[in-house]
Amino acid sequence: MPGYRALFRLPGFAGLWLSFALSVGATALAGLALGTLVHDRTGSPLLTAVGTHGATLAAVLGALTLMSLADGRRPRRTLLVLQWISVAGVAAQAVPGVPLPVRLGLVLALGLPHALATGCRLGLLAGAVPPTGYARARSLMGLTAAGATALCQVAGAALLSRLSPAGPLLIAAALLAAGAVVVATTARERPAPPGPD
C-alpha cells in the first residue's frame, strides 16, 4: 500500500488533493462569512446556523437523491461545471443588498449538488490511484478536509475582524475558482461506465 508521500508522486493525485483542499477551505470560509452576515442582519441564532451550515444539510439531502448520478456522468466535466456554479454562487453572496431569503436559498441550492461533486471527485480519485492506495488516499482526503476547515475558519475569523463579510466571500470564490483551474489542468477524464447492452 503506498504511503501518503508516495501518493503525491502519482499522476493526477496531487491536483485532485489540492483542488479538494481549496474547495473545502473555501466552503468553510464562505459559511463563516455568511453566518456572520446573517447574524449581523437578523440576530437570529437559527438563521445564522442556516447561513453557516445550511450547505452541509443540503449536501446530506443531495447524497440521498443525486449521488448515483456521479456514476453515469463524466466526472471531470461534471465536477468542473459544479465548481464554476459554486464560484458564481459564492461571488453572488458578496454583492451588497442581496435579500436574505435569496442568500439562504443560494446556500441550500449550492449545497444540494455538493454530494454529486463529491461522487465525481471520488470517481476521479479511483482512476488516479491504484486499488491498493485508494483507502490511504481517502484517508488523506479526510485529514485534509478537517485541516482545511479548521485553518480557513481561523483565517476567516481574523479576516472578519478587519473586513466586512464581502471580503472573505470574495476570497472564498477565488479559492473555488483556483480549485476549478487545478482540476481543469491536472485531472484526466474518467469515461462514464458503459450502459446496459
Side-chain angles (χ1 to χ4, degrees), residues 87-119:
V87 171
V90 172
Q93 295 281 20
V95 176
V98 175
L100 186 60
V102 174
R103 289 190 186 280
L104 297 180
L106 273 173
V107 168
L108 299 176
L110 293 175
L112 194 61
H114 181 73
L116 177 56
T118 298

Side-chain angles (χ1 to χ4, degrees), residues 4-120:
Y4 288 132
R5 277 189 282 186
L7 289 172
F8 288 97
R9 293 194 290 270
L10 298 173
F13 176 78
L16 283 174
W17 176 84
L18 179 58
S19 69
F20 177 69
L22 290 169
S23 297
V24 169
T27 300
L29 182 59
L32 183 62
L34 186 59
T36 301
L37 190 153
V38 171
H39 183 268
D40 289 347
R41 184 173 297 183
T42 68
S44 166
L46 176 61
L47 293 178
T48 300
V50 172
T52 305
H53 301 293
T56 302
L57 175 61
V60 172
L61 297 176
L64 296 173
T65 57
L66 299 175
M67 187 67 122
S68 62
L69 295 176
D71 295 329
R73 300 287 184 270
R74 294 186 176 273
R76 179 180 175 276
R77 181 186 305 169
T78 304
L79 179 59
L80 283 171
V81 169
L82 293 173
Q83 192 90 357
W84 286 114
I85 289 172
S86 294
V87 171
V90 172
Q93 295 281 20
V95 176
V98 175
L100 186 60
V102 174
R103 289 190 186 280
L104 297 180
L106 273 173
V107 168
L108 299 176
L110 293 175
L112 194 61
H114 181 73
L116 177 56
T118 298
C120 292

Side-chain angles (χ1 to χ4, degrees), residues 21-37 51-52 90 148-160 163-176:
L22 290 169
S23 297
V24 169
T27 300
L29 182 59
L32 183 62
L34 186 59
T36 301
L37 190 153
T52 305
V90 172
T149 298
L151 181 63
C152 284
Q153 285 182 340
V154 170
L159 288 170
L160 287 166
L163 302 173
S164 71
L169 285 166
L170 288 174
I171 293 171
L175 291 176
L176 286 168

Side-chain angles (χ1 to χ4, degrees), residues 1-2 4 7 13 17 20 122 125 133-147:
M1 181 181 294
Y4 288 132
L7 289 172
F13 176 78
W17 176 84
F20 177 69
L122 293 178
L125 182 64
Y134 185 74
R136 186 65 59 89
R138 286 286 306 269
S139 171
L140 182 57
M141 291 296 204
L143 292 171
T144 299

